[in-house]
Amino acid sequence: EAQVTQNPRYLITVTGKKLTVTCSQNMNHEYMSWYRQDPGLGLRQIYYSMNVEVTDKGDVPEGYKVSRKEKRNFPLILESPSPNQTSLYFCAGQGARSGANVLTFGAGSRLTVL
Amino acid sequence: AQSVTQLDSHVSVSEGTPVLLRCNYSSSYSPSLFWYVQHPNKGLQLLLKYTSAATLVKGINGFEAEFKKSETSFHLTKPSAHMSDAAEYFCVVSEDVGSARQLTFGSGTQLTVLP
């Protein structure tokens, strides 16, 4: 079954304590991306990656880092989390052969920064 | 530049009655349009997509949407709501068929289905 797996699903942390949200896909997708979802704002793209070692900023990249050292994994790193990064985060993937711009989403990671 | 506006943040219907979720878009090119659904504590799932073929698009679970260029709309409908349809729905626009980088999400419509 095609899957995008995120961990952890829920996390409560404190300001300044580095954390990583992992994302793994089993679909051999070239393209992967991270979104955050906030009430009334829909989904906003944080970072995306077109392939291994190729990453670029989305619409709201401040305070986040990513890496793409291998095709299946695309971790989201918060070096020094702040309360305004409290949000619901989604990882998504899309293959070159999939339908136009159709994304497969993970189940989400709810992060609370105190 | 592209944008998408979901005209209702909340819609409430009774089970068995029709569903209408409204979406207007703005695009400089011929866009691709999508509807995604998000059930509680789940990721987003594609309902249907329009990519310049037939203007009436049928999706999963009995949903359909009609692309109306003159009205710049892509409203989502279903003839008869079911309790399992209660979820949040997102309209999405893309100008670049080749890259999901250019997706713009609406702010979402929460659908409540009353018994």
Side-chain angles (χ1 to χ4, degrees):
Chain A
E1 180 189 352
Q3 277 190 318
V4 176
T5 304
Q6 300 177 224
N7 280 295
R9 293 288 314 281
Y10 302 90
L11 178 63
I12 300 174
T13 189
V14 294
T15 299
K17 186 176 181 181
K18 180 180 178 180
L19 68 91
T20 299
V21 186
T22 64
C23 175
S24 178
Q25 50 102 355
N26 65 357
M27 301 168 288
N28 203 34
H29 283 183
E30 288 78 16
Y31 178 93
M32 296 182 77
S33 59
W34 275 102
Y35 292 85
R36 61 177 288 172
Q37 182 181 13
D38 302 290
L41 297 177
L43 273 73
R44 295 178 292 168
Q45 190 180 60
I46 303 170
Y47 268 94
Y48 67 98
S49 170
M50 300 299 292
N51 214 323
V52 176
E53 302 291 2
V54 180
T55 64
D56 207 347
K57 296 177 180 177
D59 299 315
V60 288
E62 294 76 21
Y64 304 94
K65 286 174 57 178
V66 293
S67 70
R68 189 91 183 271
K69 295 186 174 131
E70 49 189 340
K71 201 171 189 178
R72 65 179 288 121
N73 295 321
F74 189 46
L76 179 69
I77 303 155
L78 285 72
E79 293 273 2
S80 182
S82 62
N84 65 13
Q85 292 178 296
T86 293
S87 188
L88 178 59
Y89 292 86
F90 287 100
C91 182
Q94 180 208 1
R97 296 198 180 114
S98 67
N101 297 354
V102 173
L103 296 172
T104 300
F105 284 88
S109 296
R110 185 168 293 282
L111 170 64
T112 301
V113 183
L114 302 175
Chain B
Q2 62 193 24
S3 66
V4 60
T5 302
Q6 292 184 241
L7 298 167
D8 307 292
S9 58
H10 292 87
V11 170
S12 236
V13 301
S14 296
E15 190 174 22
T17 64
V19 175
L20 170 63
L21 305 184
R22 299 182 296 165
C23 172
N24 286 354
Y25 70 91
S26 172
S27 174
S28 303
Y29 306 98
S30 295
S32 296
L33 292 156
F34 310 80
W35 277 98
Y36 281 84
V37 60
Q38 183 182 26
H39 290 279
N41 300 314
K42 302 283 188 185
L44 280 74
Q45 178 187 15
L46 181 71
L47 265 183
L48 50 81
K49 63 181 179 182
Y50 165 78
T51 53
S52 75
T55 56
L56 183 61
V57 181
K58 293 188 185 300
I60 61 172
N61 300 333
F63 284 93
E64 61 182 37
E66 186 171 8
F67 174 71
K68 292 187 176 180
K69 188 174 181 178
S70 60
E71 298 176 12
T72 61
S73 69
F74 190 58
H75 301 333
L76 182 70
T77 61
K78 183 174 181 178
S80 176
H82 192 273
M83 296 297 289
S84 61
D85 295 328
E88 188 157 23
Y89 293 78
F90 293 93
C91 184
V92 183
V93 64
S94 172
E95 289 180 338
D96 183 354
V97 173
S99 170
R101 164 67 183 99
Q102 304 298 329
L103 293 173
T104 299
F105 285 76
S107 55
T109 298
Q110 184 69 46
L111 176 65
T112 299
V113 181
L114 304 170

